[in-house]
Amino acid sequence: TDLIHKLREHDYPVTTVKGTGRDGEVGVVYVIIRRKVLKDVISVIQEFNPQAFYTIEDMRFVNSKLLLSPTKKQHRFRMRNR
């Protein structure tokens, strides 16, 4: 979907899963991010679906730094160079 493409365009690691909810088929999106970019990710989600249901969980450990998205500073730097 457009939301997934936009998140990946901003270098956020996105995993999707198809599921079945109360009213039929749903898509579940997992994104591992640093707390510093949380507001940016929520803004992207709300841009595509203001009624989106999402949860935020505190991760204590990630076994690969490759999975972490860039910090705000890194993200802004990349955006200017595109």
Side-chain angles (χ1 to χ4, degrees), residues 39-75:
K39 287 183 182 180
D40 295 337
V41 172
I42 290 172
S43 293
V44 172
I45 292 169
Q46 290 179 341
E47 174 186 335
F48 286 92
N49 184 355
Q51 303 303 315
F53 173 80
Y54 54 90
T55 63
I56 300 168
E57 299 179 31
D58 185 28
M59 294 184 74
R60 302 275 179 197
F61 176 78
V62 176
N63 67 346
S64 174
K65 289 189 179 194
L66 296 174
L67 292 177
L68 290 175
S69 61
T71 63
K72 270 187 171 180
K73 187 174 182 180
Q74 292 168 329
H75 180 66

Side-chain angles (χ1 to χ4, degrees), residues 3-42:
L3 170 61
I4 295 163
H5 292 294
K6 186 72 166 187
L7 290 168
R8 287 182 176 153
E9 183 179 288
H10 287 281
D11 295 327
Y12 297 121
V14 178
T15 299
T16 62
V17 178
K18 291 182 182 178
T20 304
R22 182 186 69 190
D23 298 325
E25 189 173 302
V26 297
V28 179
V29 178
Y30 293 98
V31 185
I32 298 173
I33 59 170
R34 295 180 187 273
R35 191 171 279 131
K36 294 177 183 179
V37 297
L38 179 59
K39 287 183 182 180
D40 295 337
V41 172
I42 290 172

